[in-house]
Amino acid sequence: MNKLAPFHVAIPVHNLTECRNFYRDVLNCEEGRSSDHWVDFNLFGHQLVIHYKAKSATSDLHHNAVDGKEVPVPHYGVVLPWETFQSFSEELKSKGIQFIIEPYIRFEGQVGEQATMFFKDPAGNALEFKAFKDAGQLFAN
């Protein structure tokens, strides 16, 4: 597998201070540049930017059924190495994260078997972190 370039994603948050604390202190993202309206973070080597946006009256997430669970859409996250996923999920549990979908093995024994978990940031943005025991199955069908 070729080394991937870091992605950039910018997401809206209605409370910059609360979300800044979440990404920095709960997810342990290193903080980069910032202003009164946005903050850059290093999310496992990728550039995540939180941008202030007033809270919307319509913030409900759509859900799709995947492996018998209700997966929130939209969502974003990172595919982690297997061991990193395991330690990261345990750290999140110890910090009291309320999971939408608790860490578990999806598609067990099938092509694309993966560990996955879903939770929200304080602004209601859904995050998924996952890992493959066999990284070569990331795009397997």
Side-chain angles (χ1 to χ4, degrees):
M1 180 184 277
N2 293 335
K3 181 174 168 60
L4 297 175
F7 70 77
H8 163 84
V9 64
I11 59 168
V13 300
H14 59 270
N15 186 322
L16 199 62
T17 300
E18 187 177 23
C19 288
R20 174 185 243 154
N21 293 340
F22 175 82
Y23 284 98
R24 184 188 60 220
D25 302 336
V26 176
L27 299 190
N28 297 323
C29 296
E30 182 182 340
E31 189 174 319
R33 294 166 296 181
S34 65
S35 81
D36 293 342
H37 299 319
W38 56 269
V39 182
D40 280 349
F41 289 100
N42 177 343
L43 180 67
F44 293 97
H46 302 282
Q47 185 185 40
L48 168 71
V49 185
I50 58 173
H51 284 270
Y52 174 76
K53 179 184 175 205
K55 190 170 186 174
S56 171
T58 57
S59 61
D60 291 339
L61 293 171
H62 174 74
H63 292 84
N64 281 332
V66 178
D67 195 33
K69 308 249 189 256
E70 292 296 310
V71 171
V73 178
H75 64 264
Y76 67 94
V78 178
V79 178
L80 302 171
W82 189 263
E83 297 76 20
T84 303
F85 177 92
Q86 302 306 322
S87 60
F88 185 52
S89 65
E90 290 304 317
E91 181 181 341
L92 293 175
K93 288 178 188 176
S94 75
K95 291 180 176 180
I97 287 293
Q98 293 186 331
F99 292 95
I100 298 169
I101 298 175
E102 296 270 341
Y104 83 106
I105 306 301
R106 176 192 287 169
F107 309 129
E108 195 164 2
Q110 301 174 45
V111 172
E113 181 176 346
Q114 60 194 261
T116 188
M117 62 181 156
F118 289 83
F119 53 93
K120 292 180 184 177
D121 72 9
N125 295 301
L127 293 91
E128 177 187 19
F129 290 88
K130 62 170 65 180
F132 292 81
K133 273 194 175 176
D134 177 358
Q137 291 195 354
L138 180 63
F139 298 108
N141 55 20

PDB file of all heavy atoms in Angstrom, residues 71-98:
ATOM      1  N   VAL A  71     -25.760   3.294  11.584  1.00  0.00           N
ATOM      2  CA  VAL A  71     -24.570   4.117  11.366  1.00  0.00           C
ATOM      3  C   VAL A  71     -24.993   5.539  11.029  1.00  0.00           C
ATOM      4  O   VAL A  71     -25.773   5.761  10.100  1.00  0.00           O
ATOM      5  CB  VAL A  71     -23.707   3.522  10.230  1.00  0.00           C
ATOM      6  CG1 VAL A  71     -22.587   4.460   9.839  1.00  0.00           C
ATOM      7  CG2 VAL A  71     -23.148   2.160  10.656  1.00  0.00           C
ATOM      8  N   PRO A  72     -24.478   6.533  11.790  1.00  0.00           N
ATOM      9  CA  PRO A  72     -24.847   7.925  11.515  1.00  0.00           C
ATOM     10  C   PRO A  72     -24.189   8.458  10.250  1.00  0.00           C
ATOM     11  O   PRO A  72     -23.039   8.155   9.964  1.00  0.00           O
ATOM     12  CB  PRO A  72     -24.317   8.671  12.746  1.00  0.00           C
ATOM     13  CG  PRO A  72     -23.196   7.831  13.253  1.00  0.00           C
ATOM     14  CD  PRO A  72     -23.563   6.417  12.924  1.00  0.00           C
ATOM     15  N   VAL A  73     -24.958   9.241   9.493  1.00  0.00           N
ATOM     16  CA  VAL A  73     -24.470   9.860   8.265  1.00  0.00           C
ATOM     17  C   VAL A  73     -24.848  11.334   8.317  1.00  0.00           C
ATOM     18  O   VAL A  73     -26.013  11.644   8.599  1.00  0.00           O
ATOM     19  CB  VAL A  73     -25.106   9.189   7.029  1.00  0.00           C
ATOM     20  CG1 VAL A  73     -24.647   9.863   5.751  1.00  0.00           C
ATOM     21  CG2 VAL A  73     -24.809   7.694   7.001  1.00  0.00           C
ATOM     22  N   PRO A  74     -23.932  12.245   8.098  1.00  0.00           N
ATOM     23  CA  PRO A  74     -22.527  12.017   7.750  1.00  0.00           C
ATOM     24  C   PRO A  74     -21.692  11.701   8.988  1.00  0.00           C
ATOM     25  O   PRO A  74     -22.107  11.944  10.118  1.00  0.00           O
ATOM     26  CB  PRO A  74     -22.092  13.363   7.139  1.00  0.00           C
ATOM     27  CG  PRO A  74     -22.935  14.368   7.857  1.00  0.00           C
ATOM     28  CD  PRO A  74     -24.265  13.685   8.095  1.00  0.00           C
ATOM     29  N   HIS A  75     -20.492  11.181   8.742  1.00  0.00           N
ATOM     30  CA  HIS A  75     -19.501  10.975   9.785  1.00  0.00           C
ATOM     31  C   HIS A  75     -18.122  11.023   9.155  1.00  0.00           C
ATOM     32  O   HIS A  75     -17.996  10.980   7.942  1.00  0.00           O
ATOM     33  CB  HIS A  75     -19.719   9.660  10.542  1.00  0.00           C
ATOM     34  CG  HIS A  75     -19.562   8.435   9.692  1.00  0.00           C
ATOM     35  ND1 HIS A  75     -20.632   7.791   9.107  1.00  0.00           N
ATOM     36  CD2 HIS A  75     -18.461   7.730   9.315  1.00  0.00           C
ATOM     37  CE1 HIS A  75     -20.208   6.745   8.429  1.00  0.00           C
ATOM     38  NE2 HIS A  75     -18.876   6.685   8.527  1.00  0.00           N
ATOM     39  N   TYR A  76     -17.104  11.163   9.978  1.00  0.00           N
ATOM     40  CA  TYR A  76     -15.725  11.189   9.505  1.00  0.00           C
ATOM     41  C   TYR A  76     -14.866  10.552  10.579  1.00  0.00           C
ATOM     42  O   TYR A  76     -15.310  10.320  11.699  1.00  0.00           O
ATOM     43  CB  TYR A  76     -15.247  12.624   9.212  1.00  0.00           C
ATOM     44  CG  TYR A  76     -15.136  13.450  10.458  1.00  0.00           C
ATOM     45  CD1 TYR A  76     -13.924  13.545  11.138  1.00  0.00           C
ATOM     46  CD2 TYR A  76     -16.242  14.090  10.995  1.00  0.00           C
ATOM     47  CE1 TYR A  76     -13.837  14.261  12.312  1.00  0.00           C
ATOM     48  CE2 TYR A  76     -16.149  14.804  12.151  1.00  0.00           C
ATOM     49  CZ  TYR A  76     -14.951  14.891  12.815  1.00  0.00           C
ATOM     50  OH  TYR A  76     -14.860  15.585  13.979  1.00  0.00           O
ATOM     51  N   GLY A  77     -13.639  10.241  10.243  1.00  0.00           N
ATOM     52  CA  GLY A  77     -12.718   9.648  11.205  1.00  0.00           C
ATOM     53  C   GLY A  77     -11.457   9.195  10.514  1.00  0.00           C
ATOM     54  O   GLY A  77     -11.144   9.639   9.416  1.00  0.00           O
ATOM     55  N   VAL A  78     -10.767   8.275  11.173  1.00  0.00           N
ATOM     56  CA  VAL A  78      -9.476   7.815  10.678  1.00  0.00           C
ATOM     57  C   VAL A  78      -9.420   6.294  10.781  1.00  0.00           C
ATOM     58  O   VAL A  78      -9.913   5.711  11.743  1.00  0.00           O
ATOM     59  CB  VAL A  78      -8.315   8.439  11.496  1.00  0.00           C
ATOM     60  CG1 VAL A  78      -6.970   7.944  11.019  1.00  0.00           C
ATOM     61  CG2 VAL A  78      -8.377   9.962  11.430  1.00  0.00           C
ATOM     62  N   VAL A  79      -8.792   5.662   9.789  1.00  0.00           N
ATOM     63  CA  VAL A  79      -8.477   4.244   9.860  1.00  0.00           C
ATOM     64  C   VAL A  79      -7.138   4.142  10.579  1.00  0.00           C
ATOM     65  O   VAL A  79      -6.130   4.681  10.109  1.00  0.00           O
ATOM     66  CB  VAL A  79      -8.397   3.601   8.458  1.00  0.00           C
ATOM     67  CG1 VAL A  79      -8.011   2.137   8.567  1.00  0.00           C
ATOM     68  CG2 VAL A  79      -9.719   3.773   7.716  1.00  0.00           C
ATOM     69  N   LEU A  80      -7.144   3.497  11.726  1.00  0.00           N
ATOM     70  CA  LEU A  80      -5.969   3.401  12.589  1.00  0.00           C
ATOM     71  C   LEU A  80      -5.314   2.029  12.471  1.00  0.00           C
ATOM     72  O   LEU A  80      -5.983   1.058  12.099  1.00  0.00           O
ATOM     73  CB  LEU A  80      -6.386   3.613  14.053  1.00  0.00           C
ATOM     74  CG  LEU A  80      -7.082   4.923  14.384  1.00  0.00           C
ATOM     75  CD1 LEU A  80      -7.628   4.880  15.806  1.00  0.00           C
ATOM     76  CD2 LEU A  80      -6.122   6.079  14.200  1.00  0.00           C
ATOM     77  N   PRO A  81      -4.048   1.918  12.845  1.00  0.00           N
ATOM     78  CA  PRO A  81      -3.459   0.590  13.002  1.00  0.00           C
ATOM     79  C   PRO A  81      -4.227  -0.175  14.089  1.00  0.00           C
ATOM     80  O   PRO A  81      -4.765   0.430  15.032  1.00  0.00           O
ATOM     81  CB  PRO A  81      -2.020   0.881  13.444  1.00  0.00           C
ATOM     82  CG  PRO A  81      -1.752   2.278  12.971  1.00  0.00           C
ATOM     83  CD  PRO A  81      -3.071   2.991  13.070  1.00  0.00           C
ATOM     84  N   TRP A  82      -4.283  -1.495  13.966  1.00  0.00           N
ATOM     85  CA  TRP A  82      -5.070  -2.337  14.870  1.00  0.00           C
ATOM     86  C   TRP A  82      -4.750  -2.065  16.347  1.00  0.00           C
ATOM     87  O   TRP A  82      -5.647  -1.857  17.157  1.00  0.00           O
ATOM     88  CB  TRP A  82      -4.833  -3.811  14.535  1.00  0.00           C
ATOM     89  CG  TRP A  82      -5.757  -4.727  15.259  1.00  0.00           C
ATOM     90  CD1 TRP A  82      -5.509  -5.416  16.412  1.00  0.00           C
ATOM     91  CD2 TRP A  82      -7.097  -5.036  14.894  1.00  0.00           C
ATOM     92  NE1 TRP A  82      -6.610  -6.139  16.789  1.00  0.00           N
ATOM     93  CE2 TRP A  82      -7.604  -5.924  15.863  1.00  0.00           C
ATOM     94  CE3 TRP A  82      -7.922  -4.644  13.842  1.00  0.00           C
ATOM     95  CZ2 TRP A  82      -8.890  -6.441  15.813  1.00  0.00           C
ATOM     96  CZ3 TRP A  82      -9.207  -5.162  13.797  1.00  0.00           C
ATOM     97  CH2 TRP A  82      -9.685  -6.044  14.775  1.00  0.00           C
ATOM     98  N   GLU A  83      -3.476  -2.053  16.690  1.00  0.00           N
ATOM     99  CA  GLU A  83      -3.078  -1.863  18.085  1.00  0.00           C
ATOM    100  C   GLU A  83      -3.442  -0.459  18.573  1.00  0.00           C
ATOM    101  O   GLU A  83      -3.833  -0.274  19.727  1.00  0.00           O
ATOM    102  CB  GLU A  83      -1.572  -2.099  18.281  1.00  0.00           C
ATOM    103  CG  GLU A  83      -1.117  -3.514  17.968  1.00  0.00           C
ATOM    104  CD  GLU A  83      -1.034  -3.823  16.463  1.00  0.00           C
ATOM    105  OE1 GLU A  83      -0.955  -2.884  15.634  1.00  0.00           O
ATOM    106  OE2 GLU A  83      -1.080  -5.019  16.121  1.00  0.00           O
ATOM    107  N   THR A  84      -3.319   0.541  17.715  1.00  0.00           N
ATOM    108  CA  THR A  84      -3.686   1.910  18.084  1.00  0.00           C
ATOM    109  C   THR A  84      -5.175   2.001  18.358  1.00  0.00           C
ATOM    110  O   THR A  84      -5.603   2.639  19.324  1.00  0.00           O
ATOM    111  CB  THR A  84      -3.274   2.902  16.978  1.00  0.00           C
ATOM    112  OG1 THR A  84      -1.877   2.792  16.750  1.00  0.00           O
ATOM    113  CG2 THR A  84      -3.619   4.335  17.352  1.00  0.00           C
ATOM    114  N   PHE A  85      -5.986   1.353  17.512  1.00  0.00           N
ATOM    115  CA  PHE A  85      -7.434   1.350  17.730  1.00  0.00           C
ATOM    116  C   PHE A  85      -7.756   0.771  19.104  1.00  0.00           C
ATOM    117  O   PHE A  85      -8.571   1.334  19.841  1.00  0.00           O
ATOM    118  CB  PHE A  85      -8.153   0.530  16.647  1.00  0.00           C
ATOM    119  CG  PHE A  85      -9.644   0.447  16.872  1.00  0.00           C
ATOM    120  CD1 PHE A  85     -10.492   1.366  16.292  1.00  0.00           C
ATOM    121  CD2 PHE A  85     -10.186  -0.548  17.681  1.00  0.00           C
ATOM    122  CE1 PHE A  85     -11.867   1.304  16.520  1.00  0.00           C
ATOM    123  CE2 PHE A  85     -11.554  -0.612  17.908  1.00  0.00           C
ATOM    124  CZ  PHE A  85     -12.391   0.315  17.325  1.00  0.00           C
ATOM    125  N   GLN A  86      -7.126  -0.352  19.432  1.00  0.00           N
ATOM    126  CA  GLN A  86      -7.423  -1.010  20.707  1.00  0.00           C
ATOM    127  C   GLN A  86      -7.107  -0.091  21.887  1.00  0.00           C
ATOM    128  O   GLN A  86      -7.925   0.088  22.787  1.00  0.00           O
ATOM    129  CB  GLN A  86      -6.652  -2.336  20.827  1.00  0.00           C
ATOM    130  CG  GLN A  86      -6.937  -3.338  19.719  1.00  0.00           C
ATOM    131  CD  GLN A  86      -8.410  -3.650  19.534  1.00  0.00           C
ATOM    132  OE1 GLN A  86      -9.161  -3.743  20.485  1.00  0.00           O
ATOM    133  NE2 GLN A  86      -8.838  -3.812  18.285  1.00  0.00           N
ATOM    134  N   SER A  87      -5.931   0.520  21.887  1.00  0.00           N
ATOM    135  CA  SER A  87      -5.554   1.389  23.011  1.00  0.00           C
ATOM    136  C   SER A  87      -6.383   2.675  23.015  1.00  0.00           C
ATOM    137  O   SER A  87      -6.785   3.157  24.087  1.00  0.00           O
ATOM    138  CB  SER A  87      -4.055   1.695  22.987  1.00  0.00           C
ATOM    139  OG  SER A  87      -3.686   2.355  21.801  1.00  0.00           O
ATOM    140  N   PHE A  88      -6.675   3.228  21.837  1.00  0.00           N
ATOM    141  CA  PHE A  88      -7.477   4.448  21.737  1.00  0.00           C
ATOM    142  C   PHE A  88      -8.896   4.200  22.252  1.00  0.00           C
ATOM    143  O   PHE A  88      -9.442   5.014  23.004  1.00  0.00           O
ATOM    144  CB  PHE A  88      -7.487   4.938  20.292  1.00  0.00           C
ATOM    145  CG  PHE A  88      -8.172   6.258  20.070  1.00  0.00           C
ATOM    146  CD1 PHE A  88      -7.849   7.388  20.807  1.00  0.00           C
ATOM    147  CD2 PHE A  88      -9.143   6.378  19.080  1.00  0.00           C
ATOM    148  CE1 PHE A  88      -8.475   8.613  20.575  1.00  0.00           C
ATOM    149  CE2 PHE A  88      -9.775   7.600  18.839  1.00  0.00           C
ATOM    150  CZ  PHE A  88      -9.442   8.713  19.597  1.00  0.00           C
ATOM    151  N   SER A  89      -9.499   3.084  21.877  1.00  0.00           N
ATOM    152  CA  SER A  89     -10.864   2.796  22.333  1.00  0.00           C
ATOM    153  C   SER A  89     -10.896   2.603  23.850  1.00  0.00           C
ATOM    154  O   SER A  89     -11.838   3.069  24.510  1.00  0.00           O
ATOM    155  CB  SER A  89     -11.454   1.583  21.604  1.00  0.00           C
ATOM    156  OG  SER A  89     -10.757   0.400  21.906  1.00  0.00           O
ATOM    157  N   GLU A  90      -9.892   1.971  24.413  1.00  0.00           N
ATOM    158  CA  GLU A  90      -9.835   1.810  25.874  1.00  0.00           C
ATOM    159  C   GLU A  90      -9.661   3.161  26.563  1.00  0.00           C
ATOM    160  O   GLU A  90     -10.275   3.416  27.606  1.00  0.00           O
ATOM    161  CB  GLU A  90      -8.709   0.852  26.265  1.00  0.00           C
ATOM    162  CG  GLU A  90      -8.970  -0.595  25.898  1.00  0.00           C
ATOM    163  CD  GLU A  90     -10.273  -1.135  26.485  1.00  0.00           C
ATOM    164  OE1 GLU A  90     -10.571  -0.865  27.679  1.00  0.00           O
ATOM    165  OE2 GLU A  90     -11.012  -1.819  25.745  1.00  0.00           O
ATOM    166  N   GLU A  91      -8.852   4.031  25.978  1.00  0.00           N
ATOM    167  CA  GLU A  91      -8.661   5.373  26.537  1.00  0.00           C
ATOM    168  C   GLU A  91      -9.969   6.156  26.511  1.00  0.00           C
ATOM    169  O   GLU A  91     -10.320   6.835  27.484  1.00  0.00           O
ATOM    170  CB  GLU A  91      -7.577   6.113  25.747  1.00  0.00           C
ATOM    171  CG  GLU A  91      -7.284   7.495  26.267  1.00  0.00           C
ATOM    172  CD  GLU A  91      -6.214   8.213  25.457  1.00  0.00           C
ATOM    173  OE1 GLU A  91      -5.438   7.559  24.730  1.00  0.00           O
ATOM    174  OE2 GLU A  91      -6.173   9.447  25.545  1.00  0.00           O
ATOM    175  N   LEU A  92     -10.707   6.069  25.396  1.00  0.00           N
ATOM    176  CA  LEU A  92     -11.983   6.771  25.299  1.00  0.00           C
ATOM    177  C   LEU A  92     -12.979   6.247  26.326  1.00  0.00           C
ATOM    178  O   LEU A  92     -13.714   7.023  26.955  1.00  0.00           O
ATOM    179  CB  LEU A  92     -12.555   6.653  23.889  1.00  0.00           C
ATOM    180  CG  LEU A  92     -11.773   7.373  22.795  1.00  0.00           C
ATOM    181  CD1 LEU A  92     -12.375   7.063  21.428  1.00  0.00           C
ATOM    182  CD2 LEU A  92     -11.721   8.864  23.041  1.00  0.00           C
ATOM    183  N   LYS A  93     -13.020   4.932  26.509  1.00  0.00           N
ATOM    184  CA  LYS A  93     -13.907   4.347  27.531  1.00  0.00           C
ATOM    185  C   LYS A  93     -13.549   4.888  28.909  1.00  0.00           C
ATOM    186  O   LYS A  93     -14.434   5.242  29.688  1.00  0.00           O
ATOM    187  CB  LYS A  93     -13.795   2.822  27.528  1.00  0.00           C
ATOM    188  CG  LYS A  93     -14.430   2.151  26.343  1.00  0.00           C
ATOM    189  CD  LYS A  93     -14.215   0.646  26.427  1.00  0.00           C
ATOM    190  CE  LYS A  93     -14.646  -0.066  25.190  1.00  0.00           C
ATOM    191  NZ  LYS A  93     -14.363  -1.504  25.241  1.00  0.00           N
ATOM    192  N   SER A  94     -12.254   4.968  29.213  1.00  0.00           N
ATOM    193  CA  SER A  94     -11.827   5.451  30.529  1.00  0.00           C
ATOM    194  C   SER A  94     -12.169   6.927  30.735  1.00  0.00           C
ATOM    195  O   SER A  94     -12.300   7.373  31.876  1.00  0.00           O
ATOM    196  CB  SER A  94     -10.326   5.215  30.733  1.00  0.00           C
ATOM    197  OG  SER A  94      -9.556   6.152  29.991  1.00  0.00           O
ATOM    198  N   LYS A  95     -12.339   7.663  29.637  1.00  0.00           N
ATOM    199  CA  LYS A  95     -12.708   9.081  29.719  1.00  0.00           C
ATOM    200  C   LYS A  95     -14.222   9.286  29.688  1.00  0.00           C
ATOM    201  O   LYS A  95     -14.692  10.416  29.682  1.00  0.00           O
ATOM    202  CB  LYS A  95     -12.047   9.863  28.579  1.00  0.00           C
ATOM    203  CG  LYS A  95     -10.536   9.971  28.738  1.00  0.00           C
ATOM    204  CD  LYS A  95      -9.904  10.755  27.612  1.00  0.00           C
ATOM    205  CE  LYS A  95      -8.416  10.935  27.840  1.00  0.00           C
ATOM    206  NZ  LYS A  95      -7.770  11.701  26.765  1.00  0.00           N
ATOM    207  N   GLY A  96     -14.979   8.190  29.654  1.00  0.00           N
ATOM    208  CA  GLY A  96     -16.433   8.274  29.729  1.00  0.00           C
ATOM    209  C   GLY A  96     -17.134   8.675  28.454  1.00  0.00           C
ATOM    210  O   GLY A  96     -18.262   9.190  28.503  1.00  0.00           O
ATOM    211  N   ILE A  97     -16.516   8.435  27.303  1.00  0.00           N
ATOM    212  CA  ILE A  97     -17.173   8.751  26.025  1.00  0.00           C
ATOM    213  C   ILE A  97     -18.480   7.974  25.920  1.00  0.00           C
ATOM    214  O   ILE A  97     -18.535   6.787  26.236  1.00  0.00           O
ATOM    215  CB  ILE A  97     -16.252   8.391  24.833  1.00  0.00           C
ATOM    216  CG1 ILE A  97     -15.107   9.381  24.711  1.00  0.00           C
ATOM    217  CG2 ILE A  97     -17.024   8.314  23.519  1.00  0.00           C
ATOM    218  CD1 ILE A  97     -15.531  10.777  24.322  1.00  0.00           C
ATOM    219  N   GLN A  98     -19.539   8.655  25.487  1.00  0.00           N
ATOM    220  CA  GLN A  98     -20.813   7.995  25.222  1.00  0.00           C
ATOM    221  C   GLN A  98     -20.813   7.589  23.751  1.00  0.00           C
ATOM    222  O   GLN A  98     -20.861   8.453  22.871  1.00  0.00           O
ATOM    223  CB  GLN A  98     -21.977   8.915  25.536  1.00  0.00           C
ATOM    224  CG  GLN A  98     -22.108   9.212  26.998  1.00  0.00           C
ATOM    225  CD  GLN A  98     -23.361  10.023  27.292  1.00  0.00           C
ATOM    226  OE1 GLN A  98     -23.840  10.791  26.466  1.00  0.00           O
ATOM    227  NE2 GLN A  98     -23.883   9.848  28.477  1.00  0.00           N
TER     228      GLN A  98
END
